[in-house]
Amino acid sequence: ITSISQHIFAMILLLLLITHFIGCAWFAIGNSQVEETTWLMHFGLDGQAWYYQYFTALHWSITQFTPASMEITPRNLYERVFTIAVVVFALV
């Protein structure tokens, strides 16, 4: 039972690590496109504290791997392409 618990714990940590990096990339894409409306701008998060933006991006990232819903959605082509790539990766 201990090895099973350790394996489950390791898988959860791996999932959190992957979603952390995907969330950071999602934030970077939303923060870098100033000529188009981004998810940060559209949802009024561009003026929020960095930790609120980070946890929103992390929340979005986690929902790409689960059937959970999230009100944050892509607002331009770059974000949409990234979202498609993440969803395809999540299927694997």
Side-chain angles (χ1 to χ4, degrees), residues 28-69:
I29 291 169
N31 200 34
S32 65
Q33 302 299 322
V34 292
E35 68 274 357
E36 295 183 46
T37 300
T38 66
W39 69 271
L40 284 168
M41 292 178 212
H42 180 81
F43 295 101
L45 300 173
D46 48 340
Q48 293 287 334
W50 68 267
Y51 52 86
Y52 189 82
Q53 294 173 338
Y54 168 76
F55 282 110
T56 302
L58 180 65
H59 181 194
W60 175 88
S61 177
I62 290 170
T63 62
Q64 303 312 299
F65 288 82
T66 65
S69 63

Side-chain angles (χ1 to χ4, degrees), residues 1-82:
I1 288 188
T2 303
S3 65
I4 294 172
S5 299
Q6 290 173 341
H7 185 68
I8 291 171
F9 183 71
M11 294 299 289
I12 290 171
L13 283 180
L14 179 62
L15 181 63
L16 287 174
L17 182 67
I18 291 169
T19 56
H20 162 76
F21 285 116
I22 290 173
C24 288
W26 175 246
F27 172 75
I29 291 169
N31 200 34
S32 65
Q33 302 299 322
V34 292
E35 68 274 357
E36 295 183 46
T37 300
T38 66
W39 69 271
L40 284 168
M41 292 178 212
H42 180 81
F43 295 101
L45 300 173
D46 48 340
Q48 293 287 334
W50 68 267
Y51 52 86
Y52 189 82
Q53 294 173 338
Y54 168 76
F55 282 110
T56 302
L58 180 65
H59 181 194
W60 175 88
S61 177
I62 290 170
T63 62
Q64 303 312 299
F65 288 82
T66 65
S69 63
M70 175 67 166
E71 67 273 2
I72 303 297
T73 56
R75 292 290 151 187
N76 60 51
L77 179 63
Y78 302 106
E79 294 173 355
R80 182 127 351 244
V81 169
F82 181 74

